[in-house]
Amino acid sequence: MAFRFRLDSVLKHRRRVMEDKAREVAIVEKRIESARQVQAGLEERLREFRDQVPSDLGTKLHVGDLMAKSAWLARLGDRLRKSELEIVDLQTRRDGLRSDLEDAWRQCEVLEKLKARHKAEYDRGAVRSSTMEMDETGSVRHALRTTA
C-alpha cells in the first residue's frame, strides 16, 4: 500500500491560492511600473515647460497665452498629484497582497512539513513491518530445519 497524505487536496488548494496571490502581486507590480512611467513622462513635460519659460521672457506674451499656459500647468500639476496618489495606493495594495502571499506560503509550508513528517512515519512503519516479516520468515525456516 502506497503512502497517501489525507490532506493532499487541502495542500493543492493552498498552493493554488498561493499561486493566485503571486499572480496578483505581479499584476500590481506591473501597474506600479506603468504608473511610474506615466509620472516620469509628466515630470519630463513639466521640465520642458519650465525650460521653455526663460526663452519666452524676451518675447511679447499675450494674456490669452499666459492664461492657457497657466491652465495647462495647473492640469499637469493635477495629473502629477493623481499619478503620485495612484502609485501610493498601488504600493499599499501590493504590500497587502504580499502579506497575503506570505500567509498563504506559510500555510503551504506547514502542510508540506506535516506531509513530510507523515511520510517519514509511514516509511519507518514500512521498514519495521518488513523487518518483522523477515524475522518471522527466518524463525519459521529455522524451526523447520531443527525439527526435520
Side-chain angles (χ1 to χ4, degrees), residues 58-108:
T59 63
K60 290 184 180 179
L61 296 175
H62 298 293
V63 174
D65 289 342
L66 285 175
M67 290 178 64
K69 286 184 179 187
S70 176
W72 182 83
L73 190 58
R75 283 192 309 272
L76 185 62
D78 289 343
R79 289 177 63 192
L80 264 171
R81 280 186 288 282
K82 285 179 183 177
S83 176
E84 289 168 0
L85 290 174
E86 180 185 8
I87 290 172
V88 169
D89 288 344
L90 287 170
Q91 288 172 337
T92 302
R93 182 166 180 231
R94 178 201 54 202
D95 293 344
L97 288 172
R98 278 185 179 169
S99 176
D100 293 346
L101 176 60
E102 235 177 74
D103 291 342
W105 177 80
R106 281 191 194 107
Q107 290 175 356
C108 284

Side-chain angles (χ1 to χ4, degrees), residues 43-58 69 72-73 76:
E43 289 171 347
E44 180 61 28
R45 288 173 67 187
L46 182 61
R47 264 192 300 281
E48 288 172 1
F49 178 79
R50 287 185 179 153
D51 291 344
Q52 181 186 8
V53 169
S55 66
D56 288 347
L57 290 178
K69 286 184 179 187
W72 182 83
L73 190 58
L76 185 62

